[in-house]
């Protein structure tokens, strides 16, 4: 690898940044597809619920309520993930990507490959999560 490819001695190489950026873009595209799919499913549940307005006496009522909550939760997770992916992409633009937001050490490319949205190094993540 050419010396010019390196951001600095401990930073990510340009090729690694490109690879992680591609992972993030990919994940964003999947999230958007998922969000669209969930919105459709919510629409289906909504119209099904509309047809059976009386949840208590309709045997399908509780199932639909459960499905509604489940889909809403998934939609929330997907939305959160898009926010995390966008934040990671913004950090790539800024040149701060790959650095722990807490201790400022490098997160490490292996961890980033497994979790491209990671904001903390393993040591800090373990402290935060307990
Ligand atoms: Zn850290």
């Amino acid at each position: 690898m050419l010396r010019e490819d390196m951001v600095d001695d401990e930073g990510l190489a340009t090729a690694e940044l490109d690879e992680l950026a591609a992972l993030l873009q990919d994940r964003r595209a999947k999230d958007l597809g998922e969000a669209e799919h969930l919105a459709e499913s919510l629409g289906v549940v909504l119209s099904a619920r509309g047809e059976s307005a009386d949840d208590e006496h309709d045997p399908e009522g509780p199932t639909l309520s459960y499905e509604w909550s489940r889909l809403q939760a998934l939609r929330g997770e997907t939305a959160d993930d898009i926010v995390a992916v966008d934040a990671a992409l913004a950090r790539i633009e800024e040149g701060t990507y790959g650095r722990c937001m807490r201790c400022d050490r490098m997160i490490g490319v292996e961890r980033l490959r497994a979790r491209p949205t990671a904001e903390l190094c393993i040591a800090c993540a373990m402290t935060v999560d307990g």
Side-chain angles (χ1 to χ4, degrees), residues 97-111:
Y97 182 75
R99 216 168 263 285
C100 177
M101 291 181 99
R102 203 144 168 260
C103 71
D104 211 37
R105 278 194 288 254
M106 292 310 296
I107 292 173
V109 71
E110 288 310 316
R111 175 165 162 77

Side-chain angles (χ1 to χ4, degrees), residues 35-88:
E36 204 173 304
H37 175 74
L38 285 167
E40 270 173 36
S41 303
L42 281 163
V44 170
V45 173
L46 187 65
S47 57
R49 278 178 95 179
E51 283 159 21
S52 57
D54 192 349
D55 268 14
E56 291 203 17
H57 298 103
D58 188 321
E60 271 206 284
T63 314
L64 288 172
S65 297
Y66 171 79
E67 186 64 5
W68 180 262
S69 312
R70 192 183 70 87
L71 291 170
Q72 286 281 25
L74 281 174
R75 193 162 75 156
E77 279 171 28
T78 306
D80 287 350
D81 200 61
I82 292 173
V83 169
V85 167
D86 280 347

Side-chain angles (χ1 to χ4, degrees), residues 17-31 81-82 84-92 97 112 115-118:
L17 266 179
D18 285 350
E19 177 198 336
L20 291 161
L23 275 178
L24 286 161
Q25 296 284 6
D26 218 51
R27 179 149 149 187
R28 196 174 196 286
K30 277 190 197 127
D31 278 345
D81 200 61
I82 292 173
V85 167
D86 280 347
L89 287 168
R91 289 199 297 280
I92 290 178
Y97 182 75
L112 289 169
R115 214 171 154 226
T117 56

